[in-house]
Amino acid sequence: MRVAVVAGPDPGHAFPAIALCLRFAAAGDEPVLFTGTRWVDAAGAAGIDTRPLKGLTPRPEDDDMDAGQRIHSRAAFIATELHPDLQSVNADLVVSDILTAGGGLAAEKLGLPWVELSPHPLYAPSKGLPPIGSGLAPGSGVRGRLRDTLMRKATGRSIAQGRAQRSAARVGIGLPAEDPGPVARLIATIPALEVPRPDWPTEAHVVGPLLWEPTEEILTLPPGDGPVVMVAPSTAFTGAEGMLEMTLRGLDGSGARVVASILDEPPAELPSWAAAGLGRQDELLGRADVVVCGSGHGLLAKSLIHGVPVVAVPGGGDQWELANRAARQGSAVVVRPPSPDSIGDAVRRVLKDPAYAQAASAAAAGSGDVEDPVEVCRGTVGQCA
């Protein structure tokens, strides 16, 4: 196949798209990646035909605080900008990130089948779950089910508003108001982070995390033999701030060794028992005893498939949902609000109680029970939603 993969510049979405392109290439297909300029050179160096995704820069009329407009209205503009570039690729299939809906709209304009990539669990509403984002387990008994029903009703207005915004965006670029949706959905998570639902969509396939390392550098551990605490601050703009600083203060004098994996410039001054920089997270996870992170899906899933328990410091977006799913599975402690004391106490708790590492190992053991994303995509060629 010749496959166009479309994703925005946020690392939590661009990295899975890059990983998927590498999977396509390894299987003998021809991927072309459209993403933010920040990752064009790095993805190109990895051997992927990578091109800038046009239309990402906010226009004066865009309101990025309105999630519906950011996803749907902006999607129409991106679709218009992407259309000629996508047409020139002569693709058999388009894979579009869930937050970069313009890829799907452009594919539909060209009459191409398209697949939605969700680099996290399935977040579609369900008649058997509380609203996604609440962090709650499904209610049990009459009161629990009533709670979930009332909560779903309360969020129904926002969902309806989003669908109306999607319809308006579609009509604005000459598509029918009713959205047929993708021919398939790639749910790039591990089974341990999914929850059973009575209305699982037939087109949704759990394919495991799509992970890519933006560097080949290996971080050096601080000297000593104390437990290794990996800190990975969130890359999302909604992530909790000051995570590394609070972790260092909370673990001062504990004997732990802290290593921070960060994309940006590391702090100028660190204690002798800490290190920070850009390094391969998969390699570091092989040496870590516990991870302190924002519980964004990429790092959370990566930690669990390495069998490493987590201290989750969730910010906004879906991080609260994911942190609580990991906590219910037994592999994480959730810290909110964060402080040096609360983070330090949570790290010591995880290190002291082997049940957390055992739960993380159980999550890792089940992580291979997934479908092949390439085969799922190959099965959609020639289909139309």
Side-chain angles (χ1 to χ4, degrees):
M1 298 183 299
R2 189 159 172 81
V3 186
V5 179
V6 182
D10 184 276
H13 295 265
F15 287 9
I18 293 171
L20 180 60
C21 285
L22 293 173
R23 295 278 289 270
F24 278 127
D29 297 317
E30 299 178 30
V32 178
L33 174 65
F34 293 92
T35 190
T37 55
R38 180 181 183 184
W39 307 113
V40 168
D41 290 343
I48 302 169
D49 181 354
T50 309
R51 309 177 189 189
L53 176 60
K54 298 174 182 175
L56 289 173
T57 303
R59 300 165 295 172
E61 64 268 29
D62 289 331
D63 179 9
D64 276 1
M65 299 306 295
D66 182 334
Q69 185 187 73
R70 186 175 70 248
I71 295 173
H72 305 305
S73 299
R74 180 83 64 79
F77 177 62
I78 290 176
T80 302
E81 294 288 294
L82 175 63
H83 187 276
D85 292 339
L86 189 59
Q87 190 172 30
S88 69
V89 167
N90 194 29
D92 302 298
L93 176 72
V94 175
V95 179
S96 188
D97 178 80
I98 190 170
L99 290 187
T100 316
L105 297 180
E108 192 176 344
K109 288 280 287 183
L110 290 169
L112 294 172
W114 71 280
V115 171
E116 183 178 79
L117 171 59
S118 296
H120 47 58
L122 178 64
Y123 288 159
S126 168
K127 65 182 181 182
L129 300 177
I132 301 298
S134 68
L136 295 171
S140 60
V142 175
R143 288 189 176 185
R145 290 192 293 272
L146 177 60
R147 179 206 67 182
D148 290 354
T149 299
L150 293 175
M151 291 183 69
R152 287 194 297 269
K153 184 176 180 180
T155 58
R157 182 178 298 179
S158 295
I159 294 172
Q161 181 181 1
R163 288 173 177 161
Q165 289 172 316
R166 181 67 156 241
S167 294
R170 292 173 55 82
V171 170
I173 58 172
L175 290 172
E178 185 175 353
D179 189 351
V183 294
R185 303 179 195 273
L186 304 179
I187 311 302
T189 191
I190 57 175
L193 291 176
E194 262 301 353
V195 290
R197 56 173 73 202
D199 46 5
W200 183 271
T202 57
E203 77 277 8
H205 306 265
V206 177
V207 298
L210 294 167
L211 305 172
W212 175 71
E213 297 287 341
T215 181
E216 292 300 321
E217 295 294 321
I218 304 297
L219 288 172
T220 301
L221 296 182
D225 57 3
V228 176
V229 180
M230 175 180 170
V231 181
S234 175
T235 58
F237 75 94
T238 56
E241 296 182 0
M243 186 185 304
L244 174 57
E245 292 77 9
M246 286 188 285
T247 302
L248 291 173
R249 289 170 57 192
L251 294 177
D252 191 8
S254 69
R257 293 177 290 165
V258 173
V259 185
S261 170
I262 53 179
L263 289 173
D264 299 321
E265 191 70 22
E269 296 184 6
L270 290 169
S272 60
W273 45 273
L278 177 61
R280 290 191 65 97
Q281 292 182 332
D282 54 357
E283 192 278 338
L284 182 54
L285 283 164
R287 298 179 288 167
D289 296 291
V290 60
V291 172
V292 179
C293 66
S295 66
H297 180 265
L299 202 281
L300 180 60
K302 192 184 293 187
S303 299
L304 294 184
I305 64 174
H306 282 83
V308 183
V310 168
V311 170
V313 187
D318 64 350
Q319 294 184 8
W320 177 251
E321 176 74 30
L322 290 167
N324 280 281
R325 290 191 183 191
R328 290 196 297 272
Q329 189 269 338
S331 58
V333 172
V334 180
V335 175
R336 180 183 273 188
S339 69
D341 287 343
S342 63
I343 293 176
D345 288 346
V347 169
R348 285 184 280 269
R349 177 180 167 188
V350 170
L351 291 173
K352 184 178 180 180
D353 188 347
Y356 294 101
Q358 291 167 1
S361 295
S367 63
D369 188 18
V370 296
E371 297 184 64
D372 181 347
V374 174
E375 291 304 316
V376 171
C377 288
R378 285 177 173 172
T380 68
V381 174
Q383 297 182 33
C384 287

